[in-house]
């Protein structure tokens, strides 16, 4: 398939790996990228846990930088102040991050992050020049009730659709059905494609066809080498946000290879 949009293979390391492992994995990814001819519309992103973000960002090799970016897993809405335990988006920028995950289902569930708060985070991240990877997706009961598209539409409307067209075009969307995250249960390629197409349709209604066609929509939820080709080959799936399979160089680089194959670059 000829994929024209920016394609992304992003690793969400969550609260995993120690310092040595984080640095080793960053270097293994550097090596892989350096050893291969990666098309420039493919981006590889890692989101290490906070204590290691700065060293991982600093460890990205000069020659892999155009392809390889680092992101935070979360950020606050303020630039500084009395917010113990929080991280300003400026701080992520300062240590070399280009991306930040916003609205991951684990943040929504365990930290009660509301639509409005996420909208503020998106604004702030864009203000400081970070690219938000905005996560959306439904829990199992919502999928079973058949209201998953309406649910995701609300998440997008409440936290993203206030953006200007120009700002919206800088956002990456990750559709992650909650029932597929860390469970080993992946959405079928048809389920993923159908939701991605619905998301693109909503974007078209809000911002027009050009914007809808330009925004990258990633799939996340038990995506791994064994199922990635069938997911990445879907016309509206522009890559993956990968948890478990991003923690080992072997599986993560295999996912990059699979994506290159889908892009016709192998
Ligand atoms: P998983 O996590 O690949 O381990 O299911 C994906 C995510 O939560 O981003």
């Amino acid at each position: 398939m000829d994929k024209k949009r920016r394609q992304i293979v992003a690793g969400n390391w969550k609260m995993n790996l120690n310092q040595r492992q984080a640095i080793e994995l960053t270097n293994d990814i550097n090596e892989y990228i350096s050893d291969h001819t990666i098309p420039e519309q493919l981006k590889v992103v890692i989101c290490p846990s906070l204590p290691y973000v700065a060293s991982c960002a600093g460890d990205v090799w000069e020659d892999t930088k155009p392809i390889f970016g680092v992101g935070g897993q979360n950020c606050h809405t303020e630039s500084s102040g009395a917010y113990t335990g929080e991280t300003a988006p400026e701080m992520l920028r300062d240590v070399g991050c280009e991306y930040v995950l916003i609205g991951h289902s684990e943040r929504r569930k365990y930290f009660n992050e509301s639509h409005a708060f996420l909208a503020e985070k998106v604004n702030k991240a864009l203000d400081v020049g970070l690219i938000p990877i905005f996560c959306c997706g439904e829990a199992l009961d919502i999928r079973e009730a058949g209201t998953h598209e309406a649910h995701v539409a609300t998440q997008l409307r409440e936290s993203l659709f206030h953006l200007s067209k120009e700002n919206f075009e800088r956002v990456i969307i990750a559709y992650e059905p909650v029932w597929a995250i860390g469970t080993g249960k992946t959405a079928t390629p048809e389920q993923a494609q159908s939701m991605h197409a619905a998301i693109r349709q909503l974007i078209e209604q809000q911002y027009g066809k050009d914007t809808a066609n330009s925004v990258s929509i990633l799939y996340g939820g038990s995506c791994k080498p064994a199922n990635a080709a069938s997911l990445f080959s879907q016309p509206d799936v522009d890559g993956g946000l990968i948890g478990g399979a991003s923690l080992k160089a072997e599986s993560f680089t295999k996912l990059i290879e699979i994506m290159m194959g889908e892009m016709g670059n192998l």
Side-chain angles (χ1 to χ4, degrees):
M1 164 147 330
D2 187 15
K3 297 248 185 185
K4 292 213 168 53
R5 273 185 290 274
R6 177 176 48 175
Q7 304 291 301
I8 296 148
V9 178
N12 173 11
W13 294 359
K14 309 192 181 185
M15 199 171 71
N16 291 301
L17 307 181
N18 61 29
Q19 187 171 25
R20 183 186 50 76
Q21 292 165 328
I23 290 169
E24 267 175 28
L25 182 49
T26 307
N27 277 326
D28 287 343
I29 299 167
N30 271 319
E31 244 165 59
Y32 182 87
I33 294 174
S34 194
D35 287 350
H36 292 79
T37 310
I38 313 265
E40 63 179 22
Q41 77 270 34
L42 172 55
K43 299 287 172 218
V44 175
V45 179
I46 53 168
C47 300
S49 53
L50 191 60
Y52 313 132
V53 144
S55 51
C56 291
D59 282 349
V60 172
W61 295 350
E62 221 36 60
D63 68 315
T64 62
K65 267 192 183 142
I67 302 291
F68 190 8
V70 175
Q73 295 178 9
N74 177 38
C75 67
H76 199 260
T77 56
E78 300 295 326
S79 302
S80 63
Y83 299 98
T84 301
E86 287 296 324
T87 308
E90 284 89 340
M91 295 170 177
L92 294 176
R93 269 312 267 162
D94 194 27
V95 299
C97 285
E98 291 176 76
Y99 301 86
V100 63
L101 302 181
I102 294 182
H104 190 279
S105 60
E106 288 147 19
R107 300 289 319 171
R108 293 176 191 261
K109 179 173 171 198
Y110 301 126
F111 303 95
N112 298 317
E113 295 190 350
S114 67
H115 297 312
F117 191 44
L118 297 177
E120 276 185 62
K121 288 189 185 206
V122 168
N123 292 344
K124 185 70 183 176
L126 287 167
D127 269 358
V128 309
L130 288 169
I131 299 175
I133 302 179
F134 180 83
C135 307
C136 56
E138 80 288 352
L140 187 59
D141 55 333
I142 296 171
R143 166 72 50 174
E144 283 172 352
T147 53
H148 43 288
E149 285 187 10
H151 180 84
V152 167
T154 302
Q155 291 176 321
L156 299 181
R157 274 198 201 101
E158 299 289 319
S159 304
L160 289 184
F161 282 1
H162 63 283
L163 293 172
S164 68
K165 184 178 160 84
E166 193 188 30
N167 272 337
F168 185 82
E169 286 175 358
R170 293 163 58 203
V171 175
I172 294 165
I173 293 174
Y175 168 60
E176 301 202 301
V178 180
W179 46 271
I181 295 178
T183 57
K185 257 191 227 164
T186 323
T188 63
E190 294 73 26
Q191 284 171 322
Q193 168 56 26
S194 146
M195 180 61 91
H196 284 226
I199 293 171
R200 216 176 284 291
Q201 181 70 33
L202 283 169
I203 300 171
E204 183 174 337
Q205 282 159 11
Q206 185 73 17
Y207 294 102
K209 210 175 182 60
D210 288 352
T211 302
N213 283 335
S214 73
V215 169
S216 303
I217 308 175
L218 318 185
Y219 169 80
S222 298
C223 180
K224 49 184 186 269
N227 57 30
S230 61
L231 289 160
F232 293 171
S233 63
Q234 298 302 312
D236 286 298
V237 176
D238 303 310
L241 180 56
I242 324 290
S246 72
L247 297 173
K248 293 235 157 67
E250 196 190 354
S251 45
F252 191 61
T253 56
K254 184 75 194 163
L255 290 167
I256 303 172
E257 182 188 312
I258 291 169
M259 176 50 89
M260 288 202 290
E262 290 305 322
M263 294 169 79
N265 264 79
L266 275 186

